[in-house]
Structures are given as C-alpha cells and as structure tokens.
Amino acid sequence: MECHSTTRWTPITFTHTSASYPSGHRPVSPCSDCHIGNSQANAWRNAAYRPDCAGCHANDFEADKHRKVETPRILYTVSELRDCTGACHTYSDASMTRITRSRTGEHSASRGGW
C-alpha cells in the first residue's frame, strides 16, 4: 500500500476503504490526526468504544450539550451515544416517554463539529 511517494509527503494518494474509516470523513484532516507514529496501523484513541465513532471522538464529547431531560437535568453518556447515529432526543421529563426535540443526524463525518 502506497500513501505517498518516497521523495515527498504530498500529494497523498491513499484512499481509505476500511469499514473502520467511515465514508464522508473530511479528507482535509492531516494523517497525523489519527495515525500516531510512523505506522500504517492506527491505534484507537479510546479502544473501549471501537469500532464506533467514540473510538476516536470520545474525548471530544461534551456531556452538557447532550441532555436527555432539561429538568431534572439528565445527561447522555458517551456509551449511550457511542456510534453518533443513535437517536439523540430531549424528553419532556424523567419518564422519557415524550420527545420534545430530536437531534438524530446532528453529527456527520463530513461536517465534523465534534
């Protein structure tokens, strides 16, 4: 597998095709954002959550922005939203039977904004 020529780093010629690299990730991210060290293999930053989005993005998670219920204040956890495609709803109360806001699809690999 060739990522770049042996005489210079750019242009990058490699395209990820692995299921562990979801399509839509912005190609503008430097390789070093994910690949730590000089290796083709990439260690998961948060291996407990692999292969979901949280495997790389758990440290970016801001609990206060992910509320289940406003009053009493109940927050989602990283584990509950680990794949970023799950339903992220705000409920009317702690019974969690009536949805007041749906944020499904809020995060997208192509938009970033984690």
Side-chain angles (χ1 to χ4, degrees):
M1 163 180 14
E2 304 253 338
C3 299
H4 51 81
S5 73
T6 57
T7 57
R8 56 189 178 157
W9 292 108
T10 57
I12 304 293
T13 57
F14 182 75
T15 302
H16 285 82
T17 57
S18 164
S20 295
Y21 186 86
S23 63
H25 270 74
R26 294 177 294 169
V28 296
S29 298
C31 300
S32 59
D33 279 0
C34 299
H35 292 274
I36 312 301
N38 192 16
S39 174
Q40 290 178 8
N42 182 28
W44 291 85
R45 289 186 179 148
N46 304 284
Y49 298 116
R50 69 178 242 213
D52 295 319
C53 301
C56 291
H57 298 283
N59 295 339
D60 302 323
F61 181 78
E62 296 177 30
D64 194 54
K65 292 185 178 182
H66 297 86
R67 295 180 183 193
K68 281 187 199 180
V69 179
E70 292 291 334
T71 307
R73 194 168 146 210
I74 301 172
L75 306 175
Y76 281 101
T77 66
V78 172
S79 290
E80 289 174 299
L81 301 177
R82 66 188 292 146
D83 71 356
C84 297
T85 61
C88 183
H89 301 128
T90 304
Y91 296 93
S92 60
D93 57 39
S95 71
M96 293 184 232
T97 55
R98 189 171 71 84
I99 298 169
T100 58
R101 180 176 175 221
S102 176
R103 294 179 295 218
T104 304
E106 183 100 1
H107 296 296
S108 155
S110 60
R111 282 191 319 207
W114 310 105

